[in-house]
Amino acid sequence: MRFRVRRRRPPVELREQVLEEMALLRERTPDVNGSVACTVDGLQIACDLEGDRGEQAAALSAALLAMSRRMLTMTGRGALEETLISGTAGFVAFYAAGPTIVLTVLAGPGANVGLLRLEGRKTAAGVAAVAARKH
């Protein structure tokens, strides 16, 4: 007999407020072309990506966050601030948004990485504050 694991969906109010934070990020950072927020176990909270890649991006984001935190702990480098991946077609940045949420931000090629890092951290802090108010 196989059991299906039912995943709880985040409250609609949380999703809407996180999407507002994501919209502000796009306004402040023109090179950003998408983002996704998920729980540390990979459950999508809010998605601002084109297409239907949100669930997959959420799962990968949670895995990368866990791996990044583990590497920092193992090497004694402190708490995670961000993980930045640079590719030939742009950037993907991952931020811990408090203890339970991962914020993943996509930016195009030639993006101002300094602005991306600054605004990504600001948005992650905003998402963390929204989550803290909901719990």
Side-chain angles (χ1 to χ4, degrees):
M1 175 182 245
R2 293 181 68 164
F3 293 98
R4 286 184 62 182
V5 175
R6 293 191 55 124
R7 299 180 102 179
R8 273 186 356 171
R9 294 186 57 87
V12 173
E13 189 175 303
L14 174 63
R15 180 183 165 277
E16 290 172 355
Q17 289 182 359
V18 170
L19 280 172
E20 287 176 20
E21 292 290 333
M22 291 173 167
L24 290 172
L25 173 64
R26 275 197 192 229
E27 288 175 18
R28 294 188 309 254
T29 317
D31 296 321
V32 167
N33 47 32
S35 56
V36 63
C38 65
T39 63
V40 293
D41 62 349
L43 177 62
Q44 180 181 303
I45 295 170
C47 182
D48 181 24
L49 299 176
E50 291 183 17
D52 60 352
R53 299 176 303 168
E55 292 293 330
Q56 289 177 324
L60 288 170
S61 297
L64 186 66
L65 178 83
M67 188 172 59
S68 297
R69 283 181 169 165
R70 185 140 192 202
M71 176 61 82
L72 289 169
T73 299
M74 183 185 77
T75 59
R77 300 295 184 236
L80 177 71
E81 291 183 351
E82 69 189 3
T83 299
L84 179 66
I85 299 174
S86 174
T88 57
F91 302 89
V92 182
F94 303 84
Y95 302 91
T100 61
I101 298 178
V102 184
L103 174 67
T104 302
V105 180
L106 282 64
N112 180 333
V113 176
L115 182 61
L116 172 64
R117 293 179 72 204
L118 179 72
E119 294 299 335
R121 289 179 187 181
K122 185 185 296 185
T123 302
V127 169
V130 166
R133 286 193 303 268
K134 297 299 163 204
H135 284 100

